Amino acid sequence: MNESMPLWVAEERQALLAAIVDYSEDAIISKTLDGTITSWNLAATVLFGYHESEAVGQHISLIIPADRLHEENFIISEISNGRRIQHFQTIRKAKSGQEIPLSLAISPIKNSQGIIIGASKIARDISRQKEAAEKQGMLAAIVNNSDDAIVSKTLDGIITSWNNAAARMFGYTETEAIGRHISLIIPHERLAEEDYIIGEIKKGHSVSHFETIRVTKNGDFIPISLTVSPILNESKTIIGASKIARDISEKVAAHKELEHLYQQVKTLSDRKDEFIAMTTHELKTPVTSLKGFLQLLQIHTGADGKGRLFVERSIRQVEKLAMLINDLVDFSKLQAGKLGMHFESFDIKVLVEDCLELYATNSSHPFRFNYSGSLEVQADRLRIEQVIDNLVSNAVKYSPQGGSIDITVEGKTDAVEVKIKDEGIGIDDAVKGKLFSQFFRAVDPGYSIPGLGMGLYITKEIIERHGGSISVESILGKGSVFSFVLPRQSCNQ
Ligand code: ADP
């Protein structure tokens, strides 16, 4: 203390210093050279949990973890030699046993003769700082180990960070890229994209999954998917943009490959359709003349005898063949979008009766026909006849053990509903969804029932072309009900 200073000034100054020490946010402790604590401020109490009265008079080792006691020797030796210690990062121990990371500043205390008699220690809790540094280190590690290029830039497009993946993807090292304009990797004709992206960022918007092309140091073009987000400073002002770029070369190549395969499959499918169209046309003429000649033969063969029986059987086989060919013809027309419709007014009841008349004589199944309401519709008569015929013939075909077949036709306000119910082999739930697809068959091979799997596909197309719908309910081993609804006024006219 200055000897010329009046006592009251000295006292006032001391009181001021004491207040500063008391209200400091850092722990301030003083100790003698042998380590005895001589003062302990309020922040020291808060930080270490010992009250001033518990700490003063104790040895400083009170707050030093056992494995760090050697530090004290070093500190005392530095202080004894009149040297200050700054930013000494270490760990101290609180009363609760919790370890606290600290930054220490230690200075010698001299008496009025200038002799060092102790040390003053300012301890700052750096737990938060350490945590923040650890978090930053972790984030930096994530960014550096990411497979995606992560780049940040200012709002004028100057690159401010460049991770390892960016270096791998674009070929520029971090040093080569930082400080350069982002146009370094933007192809000339795409520079306008940067204005759009920065425009969005300035509005505080992110840009996600923006698929574009960037150029590498070698001049190679790579397809990438960009996600760009604003970077905000502490006062929430947008100061730049962070950009994550994912190389989508593989995705693009896979897409191209898929497109190529699709084209190949389409070409094959088109060729198959052409082949079916051509062969069915070629088959139709000889089968029609064969049927004609067989009918002539039937007339010229005597009423009895084996010859007549064989001719009849041949005619039935030729008729089956003709039906299959007709299905193939319809299939080709559908594929080519050439299945024409001719609408007229008719009564579905008459159609069902005609169909049943044919089956009743050729099948051993008992048929029941129920109808109600008006059954008059505007539709393609031949096509609807084909639908009913197909569903009835399936009901017969897939009931090899017999069982009755019920046909119900109900006239509703705007539509007519037709249901064909059999007690046949039924259909497994798992395949119901596929029944109406081309060439799908769900028959157990044990039944050996012939067919091509086209009838239901054609049936569904015909019903849908009339604006109607078709569905099936079935229990395996018990039987099936196929139902279709036909609008009275078909929409495709
Ligand atoms: P196809 O009878 O020529 O095989 P469809 O397209 O008419 O062709 O029928 C497709 C498949 O649906 C048939 O193979 C059969 O497995 C099943 N199916 C159709 N109708 C019935 C039915 N009434 N009962 C049981 N299964 C049926």
Side-chain angles (χ1 to χ4, degrees):
M1 199 178 299
N2 192 334
E3 278 174 17
S4 59
M5 192 185 286
L7 191 60
W8 65 270
V9 177
E11 279 174 354
E12 214 165 83
R13 182 177 278 191
Q14 201 151 5
L16 181 77
L17 287 177
I20 292 173
V21 170
D22 267 349
Y23 292 106
S24 161
E25 283 190 5
D26 295 333
I28 303 178
I29 301 166
S30 63
K31 61 183 181 186
T32 60
L33 286 182
D34 59 11
T36 307
I37 297 168
T38 48
S39 78
W40 187 264
N41 77 342
L42 210 62
T45 301
V46 174
L47 188 61
F48 298 110
Y50 294 103
H51 189 262
E52 184 184 6
S53 58
E54 289 175 287
V56 171
Q58 295 287 323
H59 192 265
I60 193 70
S61 56
L62 179 71
I63 55 164
I64 306 179
D67 58 340
R68 289 186 180 259
L69 282 170
H70 59 275
E71 288 178 0
E72 186 60 12
N73 299 335
F74 162 74
I75 293 170
I76 293 298
S77 110
E78 290 293 284
I79 293 298
S80 306
N81 286 316
R83 284 194 286 268
R84 300 173 67 198
I85 301 173
Q86 298 274 41
H87 311 300
F88 183 78
Q89 296 206 352
T90 183
I91 306 266
R92 291 294 178 255
K93 191 179 66 182
K95 191 177 178 182
S96 63
Q98 189 200 338
E99 295 202 327
I100 313 164
L102 295 175
S103 170
L104 296 179
I106 310 163
S107 317
I109 303 175
K110 296 177 180 167
N111 67 9
S112 49
Q113 285 88 49
I115 298 166
I116 297 166
I117 52 163
S120 79
K121 196 166 177 168
I122 302 178
R124 174 160 295 177
D125 181 353
I126 54 167
S127 330
R128 288 229 183 106
Q129 235 169 291
K130 273 199 108 175
E131 247 172 52
E134 273 167 20
K135 207 180 244 178
Q136 203 157 359
M138 196 174 73
L139 289 177
I142 293 174
V143 167
N144 264 328
N145 293 321
S146 157
D147 279 341
D148 294 334
I150 304 179
V151 173
S152 62
K153 60 184 180 187
T154 63
L155 288 181
D156 335 310
I158 302 299
I159 299 169
T160 49
S161 79
W162 187 261
N163 75 342
N164 290 340
R168 280 197 302 274
M169 203 178 286
F170 301 114
Y172 296 98
T173 63
E174 188 182 5
T175 357
E176 285 174 312
I178 289 184
R180 302 281 298 273
H181 193 266
I182 194 71
S183 55
L184 182 68
I185 54 164
I186 306 181
H188 188 68
E189 65 282 7
R190 289 185 181 260
L191 283 172
E193 284 176 4
E194 184 59 13
D195 298 336
Y196 162 74
I197 293 174
I198 291 294
E200 288 299 293
I201 292 298
K202 282 184 178 163
K203 285 187 240 159
H205 299 163
S206 291
V207 176
S208 301
H209 310 300
F210 183 80
E211 295 199 353
T212 181
I213 306 278
R214 290 294 176 256
V215 62
T216 68
K217 191 176 177 185
N218 290 338
D220 295 335
F221 292 95
I222 42 169
I224 58 166
S225 167
L226 276 184
T227 295
V228 191
S229 322
I231 302 176
L232 308 176
N233 66 8
E234 277 179 8
S235 53
K236 307 272 181 255
T237 311
I238 300 166
I239 52 163
S242 78
K243 196 165 181 161
I244 303 180
R246 174 160 295 182
D247 183 346
I248 51 167
S249 316
E250 278 181 18
K251 186 178 146 192
V252 170
H255 188 75
K256 275 197 185 142
E257 172 70 12
L258 215 64
E259 212 157 271
H260 177 65
L261 284 176
Y262 171 77
Q263 282 309 332
Q264 273 186 332
V265 171
K266 191 167 177 322
T267 311
L268 280 176
S269 167
D270 288 349
R271 281 211 201 134
K272 173 207 72 184
D273 293 343
E274 274 166 33
F275 174 77
I276 293 177
M278 194 184 70
T279 41
T280 46
H281 183 74
E282 294 300 314
L283 282 171
K284 221 178 157 172
T285 325
V287 168
T288 314
S289 21
L290 190 59
K291 192 177 164 191
F293 286 127
L294 281 171
Q295 280 165 342
L296 281 176
L297 197 58
Q298 194 176 29
I299 297 167
H300 293 288
T301 315
D304 302 314
K306 280 206 166 165
R308 184 170 179 87
L309 186 71
F310 289 151
V311 171
E312 270 171 18
R313 281 192 187 159
S314 303
I315 289 178
R316 272 209 296 281
Q317 293 306 319
V318 169
E319 273 169 352
K320 269 192 196 167
L321 199 56
M323 268 164 65
L324 285 178
I325 293 171
N326 278 341
D327 273 357
L328 279 169
V329 169
D330 285 347
F331 172 81
S332 304
K333 284 185 181 164
L334 276 172
Q335 294 304 97
K338 287 184 188 156
L339 192 75
M341 296 275 160
H342 309 283
F343 293 93
E344 57 184 304
S345 268
F346 61 92
D347 191 333
I348 289 201
K349 176 175 160 266
V350 180
L351 231 61
V352 176
E353 280 169 347
D354 287 353
C355 172
L356 289 187
E357 197 178 326
L358 203 75
Y359 278 96
T361 46
N362 291 322
S363 153
S364 55
H365 294 76
F367 286 92
R368 290 191 293 243
F369 178 30
N370 289 301
Y371 54 88
S372 61
S374 155
L375 307 183
E376 190 78 15
V377 288
Q378 264 267 317
D380 185 318
R381 185 189 166 97
L382 286 179
R383 291 292 171 198
I384 299 302
E385 191 173 353
Q386 183 181 352
V387 165
I388 294 172
D389 186 63
N390 183 36
L391 294 177
V392 173
S393 84
N394 274 355
V396 172
K397 204 160 74 162
Y398 295 107
S399 310
Q401 277 94 1
S404 49
I405 293 172
D406 292 306
I407 297 141
T408 316
V409 186
E410 195 184 338
K412 304 192 168 179
T413 321
D414 298 321
V416 174
E417 186 177 26
V418 180
K419 287 187 182 196
I420 290 144
K421 176 175 172 293
D422 64 59
E423 296 170 348
I425 60 174
I427 300 153
D428 195 333
D429 275 347
V431 299
K432 272 185 201 157
K434 300 183 196 160
L435 285 189
F436 299 95
S437 332
Q438 306 166 15
F439 308 116
F440 182 79
R441 305 207 68 217
V443 210
D444 185 327
Y447 284 110
S448 65
I449 302 173
L452 286 182
M454 270 189 308
L456 288 182
Y457 166 70
I458 296 170
T459 297
K460 183 170 188 265
E461 290 288 326
I462 293 174
I463 295 296
E464 287 181 352
R465 295 278 299 270
H466 281 83
S469 61
I470 182 162
S471 59
V472 60
E473 282 170 42
S474 182
I475 300 173
L476 197 62
K478 291 253 160 74
S480 315
V481 186
F482 281 84
S483 320
F484 69 86
V485 177
L486 190 67
R488 279 191 197 283
Q489 295 282 332
S490 294
C491 62
N492 260 358
Q493 292 181 58

